[in-house]
Amino acid sequence: MKAFALIPLISCGLLSACGGSGDSSDSSDSTAVETSVNAGIDLQIIEKTEFTITAQGSPANGTFTWQQVSGPSLEGFPLDGAEQTSTAPDIKADSNIILRVSYQSSGSNVVTDDISISVSSNNQLPLAVITQTLPETLPSVYKDTVTLSGVESNDPDENGQIDSYFWQLLSGPDLDITSFNESTLSFSHPLLESNVNLSWQLTVTDDEGGEASTQYSMTLNKTNELVDANAGEDQDIEEFEQVTLDATSSETVTDTYQCRWQQLTGNAETLSNSNQCTTTFTASDVDTDTILSFEVTVTDSKGRTDTDSLFIDVSPKALGLINDSGVGECYNNTQRINCASDDFPAQDAELGRDSFANRLDKVGKGNLAFDYTKLNEFADEVSDDSNSFSCVRDNVTGLVWEVKSVNSGTLPNTSVRDGQNHYFWDLGDTEFTDTSTANTTCPNGTSCGIQTYVNEVNALDFCGGTNWRVPTYTELLSLIDYGKQAQSVLIDADFFPNLPDESALNHLRYWTSQTAADGTSLSQAYIIDMSDGNDLAYPKNNTAYVRLVRSR
């Protein structure tokens, strides 16, 4: 391709008269000189080869400048001079380069011409290489991790690299392999009845799409024991949790096998199906950390067997040494519902000790999770069905509670521990007027304050103890069974009989040992009403009932 430019040239002649005067005249002429440049013919070359380009310009003695317009980068450009020698770049795919030459002769405008250079990629195919890197000690045996590596595969191109790997098992048993598209491939040496030959093929692809493959053969050795029982991992659980025993990871060389579970140690548990490879049970109630052990026997279709065992550490659930509410049913806005309903979740009956009541290994008896034991006057245990008992031990909190004596007359002509007796509060401070005098609401001839009553009971060495006291708020509240709502009393009358007639004081309020500090005075203490479960800050100079408690 040529480019041209026109340059005007002016030629002048002068004529003169001879011999005297004469006229003179001027004449002028103009011609155009072309400026052109030719970058040469287009080229077809191979990557990384040397090539020469030569430009021609007219008129002669002008200057040439080469620059790259497009395509993969060439080193050294721009360059000055008609002839240039360069080296084609290393490319990944066929490419095209455009070079432009600019030419300017003296007094002319710049003219240009382009040359196209087609560069062909000359990719060298990669080399696929397989090596076995694991196990370190050969030959491999059952359960060894076998690893084949293709990382030594390479691309001979100077700037080439392996872009992908693809493994194929041409012959051999089925293997558990996570991925066939990584530089390495791993699997576990399987259980085998005889030696087995494996044939692998690895295909690698470089960054220019070139592919190469290689094959690799190996032998996996047979296993001495043809049944491998697997009882699973040891487990740490809490009481009442459902436990799954799973032996499905066992292996045999036959297609099928059977399992049989048996318990070796610990509390006897009931398995859902001991003849299945997967079975369940619900952990029973425990008081301390307990170890259970189970064994599975796996038998293949040819009668060959193997056994394996596991340990299960059962710990007590953190239910706390406090009674639950006694509520064992769930409700929506209007009626009782199944506690499994997602519309009204996390109800009281689903949470805490009561929710496990049917699984608790109770010492005595009681509604839901309440657990009481009857004691005689010497604090010895008596039958849960006995009608003759003097106090009750709460097996959850460990507290021993006073049981009131039967009604013995009309106040104040009653016995010392008659449930009808009621007292004013006089534990340590006396910021009130004593309005409950002796022989009025109790049979004592000195005072009807609760401290007097505490002293009387301790003097009796009642139920084998002299440390009887008025319960705290939390201790007294632990007797309330809110599952008895709509009943006349919210306490278990089977264990706490001889309650006073509610009509006597129009309430069943019992004192606690705690003053209600309302910020202005100390004239009130907390009571809990056994008829409805409510608490109240109650004036200390009023009277209320009392039920004493002691630690064991």
Side-chain angles (χ1 to χ4, degrees), residues 367-381:
N367 178 46
L368 293 180
F370 289 99
D371 186 1
Y372 298 121
T373 295
K374 297 176 180 179
L375 307 176
N376 63 19
E377 67 271 24
F378 306 109
D380 295 326
E381 294 182 10

Side-chain angles (χ1 to χ4, degrees), residues 142-143 191 225-232 245-262 274-278 294-310:
Y142 173 57
K143 286 190 176 180
L191 197 67
E225 300 296 333
L226 301 180
V227 178
D228 181 29
N230 187 342
L245 302 178
D246 187 353
T248 57
S249 293
S250 302
E251 292 189 70
T252 65
V253 295
T254 58
D255 292 334
T256 60
Y257 58 86
Q258 296 178 334
C259 301
R260 180 175 58 82
W261 289 94
Q262 62 176 333
S274 61
N275 292 321
Q276 294 291 332
C277 290
T278 300
F294 294 85
E295 181 182 77
V296 65
T297 300
V298 176
T299 305
D300 72 4
S301 58
K302 294 184 178 180
R304 294 171 295 207
T305 65
D306 186 37
T307 61
D308 190 32
S309 60
L310 81 162

Side-chain angles (χ1 to χ4, degrees), residues 468-483:
W468 292 97
R469 55 183 173 79
V470 179
T472 65
Y473 177 99
T474 302
E475 289 170 340
L476 188 58
L477 187 65
S478 70
L479 299 181
I480 297 293
D481 183 350
Y482 289 96

Side-chain angles (χ1 to χ4, degrees), residues 435-450:
T435 59
S436 181
T437 57
N439 288 320
T440 56
T441 62
C442 72
N444 188 273
T446 304
S447 170
C448 278
I450 55 175

Side-chain angles (χ1 to χ4, degrees), residues 303-441:
R304 294 171 295 207
T305 65
D306 186 37
T307 61
D308 190 32
S309 60
L310 81 162
F311 295 95
I312 297 177
D313 189 348
V314 185
S315 59
K317 188 174 287 291
L319 297 176
L321 298 178
I322 187 172
N323 283 313
D324 207 342
S325 65
V327 176
E329 298 175 345
C330 296
Y331 294 86
N332 60 16
N333 297 329
T334 58
Q335 61 186 358
R336 181 182 174 184
I337 62 172
N338 190 318
C339 287
S341 171
D342 293 332
D343 296 329
F344 295 84
Q347 295 197 36
D348 190 59
E350 300 177 82
L351 307 172
R353 185 181 296 273
D354 285 339
S355 64
F356 302 103
N358 61 336
R359 303 173 191 168
L360 289 172
D361 182 16
K362 295 200 289 189
V363 177
K365 285 188 176 181
N367 178 46
L368 293 180
F370 289 99
D371 186 1
Y372 298 121
T373 295
K374 297 176 180 179
L375 307 176
N376 63 19
E377 67 271 24
F378 306 109
D380 295 326
E381 294 182 10
V382 297
S383 167
D384 292 327
D385 299 325
S386 175
N387 292 322
S388 177
F389 56 102
S390 300
C391 51
V392 167
R393 183 183 67 229
D394 186 331
N395 296 309
V396 176
T397 65
L399 298 173
V400 177
W401 290 92
E402 172 194 13
V403 173
K404 292 296 183 179
S405 59
V406 297
N407 293 347
S408 54
T410 304
L411 289 170
N413 299 314
T414 54
S415 62
V416 171
R417 294 190 308 98
D418 194 315
Q420 303 175 74
N421 300 337
H422 43 105
Y423 303 84
F424 66 88
W425 199 97
D426 63 346
L427 298 177
D429 61 78
T430 55
E431 295 186 11
F432 58 88
T433 302
D434 181 0
T435 59
S436 181
T437 57
N439 288 320
T440 56
T441 62

Side-chain angles (χ1 to χ4, degrees), residues 1-3 36-43 52-57 64-66 82-84 98-103 111-117:
M1 183 162 53
K2 296 181 180 180
S36 64
V37 66
N38 187 339
I41 62 173
D42 294 340
L43 301 178
T52 299
I53 50 177
T54 303
Q56 295 180 342
F64 296 86
T65 301
W66 290 90
E83 184 175 284
Q84 302 294 335
I98 301 296
L99 298 180
R100 178 170 294 162
V101 63
S102 300
Y103 180 71
V111 292
T112 62
D113 192 23
D114 291 348
I115 183 173
S116 176
I117 303 174

